[in-house]
Amino acid sequence: MIQCTSAAVEAAEDRTARVVLLRGAGTHFCAGGDVTMFAELIHLDPEERHKALYQIVDLLHPLLVRLRHMPKPVLAAVQGAAAGFGLSLVLAADLALAAEDAVFTSGYIHLGTSPDGGMTATLGRIVGLKQAAELMLLGDRFDARRALELGLVNRVVPADALAAEAIALATRLAAGPSYAYGRTKALLQATLGDAFDAQLRRETESFALCAATEDFAEGVRAFLEKRPAVFAGG
């Protein structure tokens, strides 16, 4: 993900890049955090775990800031899973296409932690607070058509047409008035004020606090063992 942040910095500063297209390198857009890496940390005492997870999340969040504030359109083309941080990436994009077989989920709650990636700042603004609470508190999976109904993506296309549709839309955006795009995007972002960046800081601390709990350790173990988690509530 650090490489993605570097790429976002490069794209933001490259005057010849008129649009940014986000795509997964494999069969999934982004399946979320590396739970096996989390498993390597659950043996740490709560204070050490808090510090380690705080640093990890803090390294991820500059990517979201770059995507939201760069003065050019960001388009997400979603295939496979967009889970956890992957869903946050979709929310950070200005426009999003989804393959018909794409699957979405917040998913954090199943690991016993709260969301990151700015999800708590953006999801409620798009779908409303009640729907956002349901998506984050229950963590259920939903398909591309439901994502379209909720306003999380702009279009749903056949899976075998996703790449071509994404390139076509990116090409159309690249041919447009780039300065006007940048100003329009800045105006849209201004409606959030400093709330998004401030919420990232709050999310980082909240994620780290949750990661220090036994429920987080149980959530990670249950995920890797492919069984339902048994949360004790702390």
Side-chain angles (χ1 to χ4, degrees), residues 14-226:
D14 185 351
R15 292 178 178 269
T16 66
R18 296 166 65 94
V19 63
V20 173
L21 176 58
L22 300 178
R23 294 191 294 182
T27 58
H28 298 291
F29 178 73
C30 177
D34 184 354
V35 182
T36 57
M37 181 269 292
F38 293 160
E40 295 173 0
L41 301 175
I42 60 176
H43 70 280
L44 299 176
D45 67 51
E47 184 175 345
E48 291 177 320
R49 204 188 308 159
H50 173 277
K51 181 179 180 180
L53 269 297
Y54 187 100
Q55 291 173 341
I56 290 169
V57 175
D58 199 42
L59 285 173
L60 296 176
H61 279 172
L63 170 60
L64 283 303
V65 174
R66 280 287 180 175
L67 293 176
R68 294 188 70 87
H69 292 296
M70 70 170 63
K72 57 195 70 178
V74 176
L75 169 64
V78 185
Q79 80 279 17
F85 192 81
L87 180 54
S88 293
L89 282 174
V90 176
L91 296 172
D94 300 304
L95 299 170
L97 305 180
E100 288 178 335
D101 58 357
V103 178
F104 301 79
T105 179
S106 165
Y108 292 95
I109 208 70
H110 301 306
L111 292 180
T113 189
S114 55
D116 62 5
M119 186 181 297
T120 60
T122 53
L123 186 58
R125 290 174 65 88
I126 296 172
V127 306
L129 292 179
K130 293 293 187 184
Q131 288 284 3
E134 179 176 337
L135 295 176
M136 288 187 280
L137 295 180
L138 299 182
D140 292 339
R141 294 183 179 186
F142 54 97
D143 62 17
R145 290 296 171 187
R146 181 58 176 156
L148 182 64
E149 291 172 2
L150 290 167
L152 299 178
V153 300
N154 298 92
R155 303 175 191 172
V156 174
V157 301
D160 59 2
L162 178 64
E165 291 282 349
I167 294 297
L169 183 53
T171 301
R172 177 180 173 183
L173 290 167
S178 56
Y179 184 77
Y181 282 157
R183 295 311 309 153
T184 301
K185 183 169 175 175
L187 289 168
L188 288 171
Q189 295 304 318
T191 63
L192 275 173
D194 296 326
F196 183 76
D197 293 5
Q199 193 69 355
L200 287 178
R201 293 190 290 272
R202 286 188 285 266
E203 284 185 350
T204 301
E205 178 59 20
S206 180
F207 190 101
L209 287 170
C210 291
T213 67
E214 179 54 34
D215 273 353
F216 176 78
E218 164 61 10
V220 170
R221 287 191 294 264
F223 182 92
L224 294 176
E225 294 168 9
K226 302 185 187 306

